């Protein structure tokens, strides 16, 4: 059922009122982050307070909107990004818009650091140091989530949500627990791929319905291609400690090639880069990527990798029979952590998949579309004390419809959330 324009108008007024009320207790900084040398926008840079676990991220265009409590005027905002020197500004001196230019920062990793040990030795030490580098007590986060589907650079579907997550002690085997606080979905657009065939199916259904005397006024076209998201669990569940990746498991090191990849920086800390690449496919993918380690503490600060997805042999004959081919199917995963007072907390997770689908026709032009599926999970706030597990009745469950699982017992509103600003075409 379509939502009326009147309803959208009411929502707009409520949103404006909400922002006005919220601004009485919070201050706003708008701005952008660019590369000092190239002047190119820097996507997904971290905007955070120095002494509070409050922050946001720039969007794909390097832009940000950041709310912070007005009583924290004596704090500072820090802008950080992997591979760049950090910048700090006293909140009392900031004028909005704040347009930040970050300078690239590269270290020359001393040979003495890497010669005595193999890359896998450093990974083993990093996993051994989890207890001292990551939270030793349970903590709770509040995070902004977004998933969207683009076809040929046009936004087709978009969902946004706010999750509360309870993280047990990292030494505990209990999995992280999630609760859905807010959820909203934009109106879907029709997929262009095989649209002509979808319209023909609709016309056929309409004719049949009319013959039976049924009302056809609200019959809508279906998409020829049913494209579904992996669901929030695809990205909110990313956690290399609770769910160890194969390339971090010493028992599976033989399945990968490892090498030193130079160095970088994050939060003005020197990082060691370890490259890895699977020797052969593992579960139909061959991952290749980088692990970033803080040289001093050997904490894993970031992981990023991509893999080309190989269609299982079992499905290839079926796709061929229907004249469908899937090409250049690749996904990317990124995990980043943020250091506060010597402890590394999860900050943002991303899952991005892309590929092209072609439907061959014998007597007409082929249908072909490029698809991009994106999921983002950016943590806004952390609570490090007085944390309790999420009750079973309000926990998010992957096998249930997301829109039916909103339990906003915290009274959170969209207006008080630091959101990754959208760049919708």
């Amino acid at each position: 059922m379509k939502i009326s324009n009147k309803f959208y108008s009411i929502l707009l007024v409520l949103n404006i009122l909400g922002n006005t009320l919220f601004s009485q207790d919070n201050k706003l900084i708008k701005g952008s982050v660019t590369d000092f040398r190239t002047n190119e926008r820097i996507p997904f840079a971290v905007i955070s307070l120095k002494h509070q676990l409050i922050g946001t991220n720039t969007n794909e265009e390097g832009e940000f909107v950041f709310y912070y409590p007005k009583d924290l005027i004596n704090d500072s905002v820090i802008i950080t990004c992997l591979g760049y020197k950090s910048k700090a500004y006293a909140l009392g001196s900031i004028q909005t818009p704040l347009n930040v230019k970050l300078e690239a920062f590269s270290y020359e990793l001393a040979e003495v650091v890497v010669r005595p040990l193999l890359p896998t030795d450093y990974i083993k030490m990093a996993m051994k140091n989890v207890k001292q580098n990551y939270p030793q007590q349970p903590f709770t986060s509040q995070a902004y989530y977004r998933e969207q589907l683009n076809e040929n650079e046009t936004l087709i579907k978009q969902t946004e949500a706010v999750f509360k997550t309870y993280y047990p002690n990292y030494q505990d085997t209990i999995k992280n627990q999630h609760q859905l606080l807010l959820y909203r979905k934009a109106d879907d657009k029709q997929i262009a791929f095989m649209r002509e065939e979808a319209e023909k199916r609709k016309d056929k259904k309409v004719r049949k319905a009319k013959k039976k005397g049924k009302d056809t006024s609200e019959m809508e076209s279906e998409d020829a291609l049913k494209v579904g998201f992996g669901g929030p669990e695809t990205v909110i569940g990313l956690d290399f400690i609770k769910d160890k990746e194969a390339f971090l498991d010493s028992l599976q090191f033989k399945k990968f090639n490892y090498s030193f990849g130079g160095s970088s920086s994050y939060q003005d800390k020197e990082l060691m880069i370890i490259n890895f690449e699977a020797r052969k496919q593992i579960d139909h993918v061959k991952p290749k990527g980088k692990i970033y380690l803080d040289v001093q503490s050997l904490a894993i600060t970031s992981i990023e990798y991509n893999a080309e997805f190989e269609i299982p042999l079992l499905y290839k004959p079926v796709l061929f029979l229907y004249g469908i081919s899937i090409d250049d199917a690749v996904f990317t995963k990124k995990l980043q952590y943020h250091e506060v007072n010597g402890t590394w907390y999860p900050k943002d997770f991303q899952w991005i998949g892309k590929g092209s689908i072609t439907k061959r026709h014998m007597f007409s032009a082929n249908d072909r579309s490029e698809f991009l599926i994106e999921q983002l999970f950016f943590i806004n706030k952390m609570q490090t004390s007085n944390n309790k597990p999420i009750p079973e009745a309000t926990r998010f469950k992957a096998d249930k419809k997301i829109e039916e699982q909103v339990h906003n017992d915290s009274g959170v509103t969209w207006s008080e959330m630091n959101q990754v600003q959208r760049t919708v075409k």
Side-chain angles (χ1 to χ4, degrees):
M1 181 178 67
K2 296 290 185 182
I3 299 177
S4 67
N5 290 331
K6 181 180 180 181
F7 183 68
Y8 271 121
S9 299
I10 294 172
L11 283 180
L12 178 61
V13 172
L14 290 176
N15 187 53
I16 292 172
L17 288 174
N19 282 325
T20 302
L21 293 171
F22 178 64
S23 64
Q24 295 176 1
D25 297 316
N26 291 266
K27 299 197 72 172
L28 167 67
I29 304 172
K30 291 185 178 181
S32 64
V33 181
T34 58
D35 185 291
F36 177 82
R37 185 177 63 83
T38 66
N39 210 36
E40 293 181 355
R41 297 292 181 95
I42 300 176
F44 307 126
V46 177
I47 319 297
S48 61
L49 296 183
K50 183 175 182 179
H51 300 296
Q52 299 288 330
L53 290 167
I54 301 174
T56 188
N57 295 72
T58 58
N59 65 5
E60 294 88 341
E61 301 299 325
E63 301 165 340
F64 69 89
V65 174
F66 179 48
Y67 289 99
Y68 66 91
K70 65 180 182 181
D71 58 355
L72 299 179
I73 194 65
N74 294 323
D75 208 333
S76 299
V77 65
I78 300 177
I79 295 88
T80 59
C81 187
L82 189 65
Y84 289 89
K85 295 179 182 179
S86 300
K87 273 197 171 182
Y89 300 86
L91 289 176
S93 65
I94 292 177
Q95 293 185 346
T96 190
L98 177 64
N99 298 315
V100 181
K101 292 183 178 292
L102 295 184
E103 185 178 351
F105 202 153
S106 62
Y107 292 89
E108 289 186 6
L109 197 61
E111 289 187 14
V112 68
V113 175
V114 300
R115 271 186 177 174
L117 300 173
L118 298 172
T120 49
D121 293 325
Y122 285 100
I123 296 174
K124 289 178 183 178
M125 287 190 290
M127 299 307 294
K128 186 177 180 180
N129 289 352
V130 161
K131 183 176 181 178
Q132 64 191 54
N133 286 326
Y134 302 90
Q136 298 182 30
Q137 300 296 327
F139 62 98
T140 301
S141 75
Q142 192 177 98
Y144 168 79
Y145 169 79
R146 186 185 77 194
E147 60 179 20
Q148 63 184 34
L149 167 68
N150 291 273
E151 180 188 17
N152 300 327
E153 299 186 352
T154 299
L155 183 66
I156 302 297
K157 297 182 180 181
Q158 178 164 283
T159 295
E160 295 175 291
V162 175
F163 280 95
K164 173 184 176 181
T165 300
Y166 171 78
Y167 295 82
N169 187 319
Y170 267 129
Q171 313 311 308
D172 201 324
T173 57
I174 300 174
K175 288 188 174 294
N176 302 334
Q177 301 166 5
H178 309 281
Q179 179 176 334
L180 181 63
L181 301 180
L182 294 172
Y183 171 82
R184 64 186 178 188
K185 184 172 183 259
D187 281 347
D188 293 346
K189 294 182 180 178
Q190 290 183 335
I191 292 175
F193 184 76
M194 295 175 62
R195 171 55 41 202
E196 185 176 344
E197 293 187 22
E199 294 296 339
K200 287 180 179 179
R201 285 205 304 272
K202 177 192 172 183
D203 291 341
K204 187 176 181 180
K205 288 182 179 179
V206 169
R207 288 195 300 270
K208 286 184 177 180
K210 284 183 176 180
K211 286 181 179 180
K212 296 179 180 180
K214 295 181 178 179
D215 181 15
T216 62
S217 59
E218 294 187 3
M219 289 187 68
E220 297 182 1
S221 298
E222 298 179 358
D223 288 327
L225 179 67
K226 295 295 183 183
V227 180
F229 296 105
E233 67 277 6
T234 303
V235 66
I236 66 177
L238 293 178
D239 187 334
F240 79 90
I241 299 173
K242 293 286 185 180
D243 189 12
K244 189 186 298 183
E245 297 274 10
F247 50 80
L248 297 175
D249 186 351
S250 59
L251 298 178
Q252 301 191 59
F253 281 167
K254 62 182 179 181
K255 297 179 180 179
F256 297 86
N257 291 321
Y258 297 88
S259 64
F260 290 109
S263 59
S264 185
S265 65
Y266 178 60
Q267 292 186 266
D268 294 335
K269 297 179 181 294
E270 181 181 3
L271 303 183
M272 175 193 304
I273 302 174
I274 295 178
N275 299 324
F276 66 89
E277 182 175 4
R279 295 180 178 180
K280 59 182 181 180
Q281 287 188 0
I282 303 173
D283 295 329
H284 307 294
V285 298
K286 190 178 180 183
K288 176 182 180 181
K290 300 177 183 293
I291 303 166
Y292 295 83
L293 297 171
D294 174 24
V295 170
Q296 294 299 319
S297 66
L298 288 182
I300 294 178
T301 67
S302 183
I303 297 172
E304 56 183 48
Y305 70 92
N306 57 67
E308 184 172 350
F309 183 77
E310 178 68 24
I311 303 298
L313 192 62
L314 178 66
Y315 296 107
K316 288 185 177 181
V318 178
L319 292 173
F320 180 80
L321 181 64
Y322 285 94
I324 294 176
S325 61
I326 301 175
D327 304 298
D328 304 321
V330 178
F331 72 84
T332 300
K333 284 185 181 181
K334 295 182 180 180
L335 297 77
Q336 185 162 282
Y337 293 75
H338 195 69
E339 187 266 338
V340 178
N341 298 325
T343 300
W344 290 87
Y345 293 88
K347 179 56 186 172
D348 59 76
F349 304 141
Q350 301 177 48
W351 186 95
I352 301 171
K354 61 181 180 179
S356 61
I357 303 179
T358 303
K359 166 65 175 178
R360 297 186 301 277
H361 299 287
M362 292 184 64
F363 303 109
S364 60
N366 294 340
D367 284 301
R368 181 180 173 86
S369 285
E370 301 283 340
F371 288 96
L372 174 67
I373 301 174
E374 174 192 69
Q375 294 181 313
L376 311 174
F377 185 76
F378 291 137
I379 292 174
N380 280 194
K381 300 178 182 178
M382 289 279 192
Q383 181 175 315
T384 58
S385 59
N386 301 319
N387 293 289
K388 297 180 180 179
I390 295 174
E392 181 67 32
T394 60
R395 287 182 196 172
F396 176 77
K397 297 177 176 60
D399 59 348
K400 293 185 177 181
K401 292 183 178 180
I402 182 172
E403 60 269 24
E404 297 175 356
Q405 299 190 67
V406 177
H407 299 284
N408 192 2
D409 51 16
S410 303
V412 175
T413 64
W414 282 109
S415 61
E416 64 187 273
M417 285 301 302
N418 281 314
Q419 304 162 38
V420 179
Q421 297 301 294
R422 289 173 286 180
T423 54
V424 179
K425 293 191 176 183

